[in-house]
Amino acid sequence: MVEAEAAGLIAIGAGIAVGLTGIGAAIGEQSIGAAAIGAMAEDEKFFGKGLLMTVIPESIVIFGLVVALILLFVF
Amino acid sequence: MLKPEEMTKVVVVGTKDILEETVDTLHRLNLLHITDYDGSESGFSIGKPHRIASKLSEYLVTLRSISNQLRISEKDSVEKKVSVKEIPSMIESKLAELEEEVSKRQDAIRAVEAELKAQEDLEDAIKPLAALPLSLEDYRGYESIRVFVGFVDSEIEDLIRDKTEQYELYTGTFEGRRVIALAVPVEKEAEVSKILQDESTFVELRPPNLEGSPESLLEGIRSKKEELSAKLTELESERERIKEEYAEFILSSEEYLTIETQKAEAPLRFATSENSFVAEGWIPLERYDEFERRLSESTGGKIYVSKLEVDEEVKDVPIALKNPKIAKPFELLVNTFSTPKYKEIDPSIILFITFPLFYGLMLGDIGYGVLLIFLSWIIMSKVKSGGLHELSIILLYSAFSTIFFGIIYGEVFGLPLFNIVHHGAVEYGILGINGPQIGMLHLPVHRFAEVESLLTLVLVVGILHVTLGLLIGIRNVTVEHGFKAAVLEKLCWLLILFGGIMAIVTAMPAIMGGAALNTENPIFAGGIVLVIIGLIMLVKGEGPIAIMEIPTLLSNIFSYARILAIGLSSAGIALAVNTICKDVLFAQGGVFFAAGILVLILGHTINLLLGIIGPGLHSLRLQYVEFFTKFYEGGGTQYNPFGFIRKYTEE
């Protein structure tokens, strides 16, 4: 019983880790994305750089995902 | 490889009578990256363009405007190249005629389009009036009567009747709105007008100044519009015919004129005195002998060419990246970030190894790999040059790497390749055999089962990648600022990195809870000492503020966990699609079977697209953000020699 409870809490923890970091990354990406589109409207050559800049905040989700993976598989 | 092409500064001096031949040869050689003369030497002024330049540019402007009007697009190749000898006479004879013809057509098209627009406006103005039982001449021409026409949604007759008994009101409906025509005596005009203005739904219409019933007028407009449309189609097809006929002429003469204008304007970049000229620039060192020989041949030995000694601190050396053909496409990724400086390491060849490696580690699926090979092959055969072509070659390398890691992970479209055992039950793979044992490695390394060891693996990959970056950093700083600076700026980071790893790995059991921390463990103690030495050097080299950067190092390493994370998410989506189809839809049969196939195709297509974008961008990001920041400064000028690669013409 205790074990099942612990497993459930771990799963919730993993969900929170991915969910909250996802929101964080989204907030970061929205303004970068908007700015990148603006820059692209001026100069289409910016596409590559803009796309790259836009994925930079995605690191945060990946850290969240790592935490989730460690929680789920390592503990 | 690793270093840009070695360049040498050259100076070309001659008398003005051989200027033309020299420019011609320089252009044909396509070697000299000209350094524009800034007019700073006394006795030398900036050269004047050849007198033909203004005429050539005039032709070029005309030609480009024609090419714009005809919407002529570049072609990758032409069947037969035009000889440059024919072009000048062709331009003389055809250009004026072509310009007239095109502008005549263009004017006619514009006139027809304007007429068509006018007819459409008229139609829009008359259409609502067709709902009223009046002819167009009924709306005007009275001395004592004023007629209001417009849309109004509410009932206004009572309001009018309050003001005057003498009125006539016609109503009708057009597209769900009420149309009215209201005639009142002129003396009541102001009051009625006020009622209508106060009515918020009222929109006034202005009947056009025509005669006859709206229906017959609309009929006339319709037939006129048809006539105009037919005329427009005819004119456009004629323009298309001209485009077909002259496309080759326009492309080849545009190229010819571009080249000739470049040549004619070249003296603007030279230093000239009354009777001589001096051109300065850069060429690749190994081509110098050819450069000198060709110039002296073409001018009968009347020219002076020499290498110039340059200072140690050269800033304006143009950069031509030099890599084996196989690694060339990765120069695009390096140049997108920034062109390296002359003395910096050019990391293209490293990207050639690490980019596909990371990509394959992320995507790792035989099925997707094979599809990517097809995709890159299709793009490669459609687009013969330019950035897209190079990207498709990079995609091809990445696809091979994807297949390689697909075999290691044992995945084909998310299905197992080899038999796997979990929870005691055997899941049969596509091959129906157990995975082979290769050395220490027992295939398949199932990604969901081996998360822990794969996480360790990708972090080790990250540490190696960052270490490589720091080592290159040491080399770059040594070349630019000396070894001492390199030790204080870069080596200290290596000490912190490895000291930190030693300390953290030995302390791991204590951090995870359980064992007590053994501070006397020599590895742990050694790690701490290394970190402290590194910190002291760092503070000495970059100031105390640099300590703020230490968490960045940690996050850089953790960032490599994305290799596993993106791989897992892609494998997860594939698994989900397969499970939905196999266990849910296919099991029910009938219509669900068809739906299952649809889900299968759609799901894997989406996953493949995500699989191109996700691993591609993240693999690139690991290079740009984690790797390049350790050593790369960039900011060089790209080597852009004076010359032109002919596509449509030949000499």
Side-chain angles (χ1 to χ4, degrees):
Chain A
M1 183 61 198
V2 175
E3 210 160 87
E5 220 167 70
L9 285 175
I10 285 176
I12 291 174
I16 291 175
V18 175
L20 286 186
T21 48
I23 293 173
I27 293 170
E29 261 175 49
Q30 68 160 23
S31 41
I32 300 178
I37 299 273
M40 255 164 63
E42 293 225 332
D43 184 356
E44 281 177 25
K45 275 186 258 159
F46 200 77
F47 178 75
K49 279 182 194 167
L51 197 61
L52 203 73
M53 301 263 182
T54 315
V55 300
I56 283 182
E58 239 158 69
S59 299
I60 306 166
V61 198
I62 284 163
F63 295 153
L65 198 60
V66 170
V67 169
L69 290 177
I70 291 175
L71 282 176
L72 290 175
F73 293 99
V74 180
F75 270 98
Chain B
M1 210 159 59
L2 287 177
K3 285 190 74 181
E5 185 89 57
E6 201 176 339
M7 305 295 269
T8 180
K9 193 164 197 181
V10 292
V11 61
V12 178
V13 184
T15 48
K16 272 195 175 162
D17 57 322
I18 53 163
L19 178 62
E20 218 164 300
E21 290 93 326
T22 312
V23 169
D24 220 44
T25 316
L26 285 177
H27 198 271
R28 198 168 302 145
L29 279 169
N30 197 11
L31 268 182
L32 183 69
H33 177 103
I34 300 178
T35 313
D36 290 0
Y37 176 60
D38 57 3
S40 57
E41 301 284 330
S42 66
F44 284 95
S45 57
I46 294 173
K48 290 191 178 58
H50 197 284
R51 58 185 183 287
I52 201 170
S54 64
K55 187 155 190 211
L56 288 174
S57 349
E58 214 172 280
Y59 280 147
L60 198 55
V61 170
T62 315
L63 203 62
R64 287 197 176 142
S65 107
I66 293 173
S67 148
N68 258 340
Q69 285 177 11
L70 294 179
R71 301 194 185 99
I72 286 181
S73 50
E74 294 252 330
K75 286 183 193 167
D76 272 341
S77 58
V78 283
E79 283 163 25
K80 192 179 152 294
K81 291 189 175 181
V82 186
S83 161
V84 283
K85 291 202 187 66
E86 296 168 17
I87 295 180
S89 61
M90 265 161 65
I91 293 177
E92 290 289 342
S93 63
K94 279 191 192 170
L95 188 61
E97 176 197 340
L98 178 64
E99 187 193 7
E100 202 190 312
E101 204 164 331
V102 169
S103 71
K104 211 167 68 191
R105 292 273 146 48
Q106 205 64 17
D107 288 348
I109 288 176
R110 243 178 251 137
V112 173
E113 276 172 350
E115 178 69 4
L116 204 57
K117 181 86 189 38
Q119 293 294 331
E120 271 164 14
D121 289 347
L122 196 57
E123 190 179 21
D124 288 344
I126 295 176
K127 261 183 183 167
L129 303 180
L132 298 170
L134 298 172
S135 285
L136 285 183
E137 65 267 23
D138 298 339
Y139 292 105
R140 67 199 133 71
Y142 310 111
E143 273 176 22
S144 56
I145 298 175
R146 166 79 165 94
V147 185
F148 292 96
V149 192
F151 291 113
V152 64
D153 286 341
S154 42
E155 207 49 66
I156 52 159
E157 193 162 0
D158 295 337
L159 296 170
I160 308 287
R161 201 178 292 129
D162 288 345
K163 299 287 174 201
T164 170
E165 284 295 317
Q166 290 178 296
Y167 72 92
E168 231 174 294
L169 180 68
Y170 301 93
T171 58
T173 335
F174 174 71
E175 287 178 357
R177 298 197 65 185
R178 225 155 68 94
V179 191
I180 59 155
L182 174 66
V184 291
V186 171
E187 54 268 26
K188 295 287 178 190
E189 178 181 351
E191 288 164 61
V192 174
S193 175
K194 189 159 185 326
I195 295 173
L196 290 172
Q197 295 305 332
D198 291 344
E199 192 51 59
S200 61
T201 58
F202 179 72
V203 182
E204 192 172 0
L205 291 172
R206 292 183 193 283
N209 204 353
L210 293 168
E211 291 184 1
S213 75
E215 284 82 10
S216 65
L217 281 167
L218 282 174
E219 192 57 41
I221 290 173
R222 254 193 295 280
S223 66
K224 188 141 193 197
K225 262 173 66 182
E226 265 166 38
E227 197 180 301
L228 287 168
S229 298
K231 202 164 163 192
L232 191 64
T233 325
E234 189 191 319
L235 283 167
E236 275 170 345
S237 73
E238 217 167 315
R239 185 170 66 182
E240 207 55 32
R241 182 188 59 74
I242 296 179
K243 178 178 162 179
E244 294 277 303
E245 191 182 333
Y246 287 96
E248 192 182 312
F249 164 72
I250 291 171
L251 286 173
S252 58
S253 28
E254 188 180 341
E255 182 174 288
Y256 170 81
L257 286 171
T258 308
I259 291 172
E260 292 306 314
T261 317
Q262 272 181 7
K263 284 193 214 168
E265 287 175 353
L268 283 170
R269 312 173 69 182
F270 297 167
T272 54
S273 67
E274 204 171 317
N275 295 312
S276 66
F277 69 90
V278 182
E280 246 183 38
W282 295 88
I283 64 167
L285 184 61
E286 58 179 29
R287 309 279 305 269
Y288 177 77
D289 291 334
E290 181 196 352
F291 180 76
E292 189 180 12
R293 184 173 47 78
R294 290 276 296 274
L295 271 177
S296 98
E297 270 169 20
S298 67
T299 54
K302 288 202 289 185
I303 200 155
Y304 172 77
V305 183
S306 172
K307 277 186 252 189
L308 278 187
E309 291 296 321
V310 284
D311 320 336
E312 274 299 298
E313 293 290 316
V314 273
K315 290 219 170 57
D316 58 344
V317 192
I319 306 297
L321 297 183
K322 191 168 96 177
N323 284 294
K325 190 158 181 286
I326 192 161
K328 275 261 170 217
F330 291 89
E331 290 177 1
L332 175 77
L333 300 183
V334 173
N335 279 328
T336 304
F337 188 80
S338 178
T339 304
K341 286 192 296 188
Y342 189 51
K343 288 185 173 173
E344 266 181 339
I345 293 277
D346 157 25
S348 308
I349 192 96
I350 300 169
L351 292 198
F352 166 63
I353 297 163
T354 52
F355 183 89
L357 176 77
F358 293 165
Y359 193 101
L361 270 171
M362 285 187 217
L363 194 53
D365 186 299
I366 301 171
Y368 291 144
V370 171
L371 284 185
L372 286 184
I373 289 182
F374 278 118
L375 185 69
S376 56
W377 181 71
I378 290 171
I379 300 173
M380 243 185 275
S381 57
K382 292 253 185 252
V383 189
K384 296 277 186 218
S385 59
L388 198 57
H389 182 77
E390 290 178 353
L391 281 182
S392 66
I393 298 175
I394 295 174
L395 187 63
L396 183 68
Y397 295 156
S398 307
F400 283 122
S401 158
T402 303
I403 293 179
F404 175 77
F405 285 101
I407 294 171
I408 290 183
Y409 297 150
E411 284 177 35
V412 183
F413 292 117
L415 297 168
L417 182 68
F418 305 112
N419 298 345
I420 40 176
V421 183
H422 51 120
H423 306 305
V426 179
E427 188 185 343
Y428 286 100
I430 290 176
L431 296 179
I433 53 165
N434 289 322
Q437 179 89 26
I438 301 170
M440 297 276 287
L441 197 66
H442 183 261
L443 296 184
V445 180
H446 195 257
R447 279 195 271 188
F448 289 108
E450 305 281 348
V451 169
E452 211 180 324
S453 40
L454 283 172
L455 189 59
T456 317
L457 174 81
V458 296
L459 292 182
V460 169
V461 168
I463 291 167
L464 293 177
H465 200 220
V466 169
T467 307
L468 180 64
L470 285 170
L471 288 176
I472 300 175
I474 292 178
R475 184 263 171 204
N476 278 353
V477 178
T478 308
V479 169
E480 205 155 340
H481 304 294
F483 187 64
K484 194 179 162 215
V487 168
L488 292 181
E489 279 174 36
K490 302 287 177 188
L491 187 69
C492 56
W493 283 111
L494 270 182
L495 294 181
I496 294 171
L497 177 62
F498 279 96
I501 293 166
M502 283 157 69
I504 290 175
V505 169
T506 44
M508 210 58 185
I511 295 171
M512 300 301 275
L517 181 60
N518 177 12
T519 46
E520 282 165 24
N521 184 337
I523 301 178
F524 178 78
I528 297 289
V529 171
L530 279 184
V531 171
I532 292 172
I533 297 175
L535 278 177
I536 294 170
M537 278 155 55
L538 180 68
V539 171
K540 198 165 175 326
E542 310 232 25
I545 195 81
I547 291 176
M548 301 277 289
E549 287 286 308
I550 288 173
T552 318
L553 190 65
L554 196 68
S555 81
N556 278 171
I557 302 291
F558 277 129
S559 189
Y560 286 81
R562 77 185 61 229
I563 296 179
L564 176 68
I566 288 165
L568 279 181
S569 74
S570 142
I573 294 172
L575 183 72
V577 171
N578 291 338
T579 310
I580 291 171
C581 295
K582 202 172 74 184
D583 297 351
V584 182
L585 292 169
F586 287 175
Q588 307 207 31
V591 186
F592 291 101
F593 192 80
I597 296 209
L598 201 69
V599 170
L600 202 62
I601 293 173
L602 207 67
H604 281 296
T605 312
I606 292 173
N607 198 21
L608 181 66
L609 288 179
L610 287 175
I612 298 170
I613 299 169
L617 281 178
H618 283 283
S619 181
L620 195 59
R621 180 219 131 99
L622 286 176
Q623 312 290 350
Y624 282 175
V625 181
E626 272 75 25
F627 184 52
F628 277 23
T629 48
K630 301 291 171 293
F631 66 94
Y632 200 71
E633 280 181 25
T637 327
Q638 270 193 53
Y639 173 60
N640 179 19
F642 175 64
F644 201 93
I645 296 165
R646 291 170 188 270
K647 268 160 87 181
Y648 313 113
T649 58
E650 60 188 3
E651 289 184 270

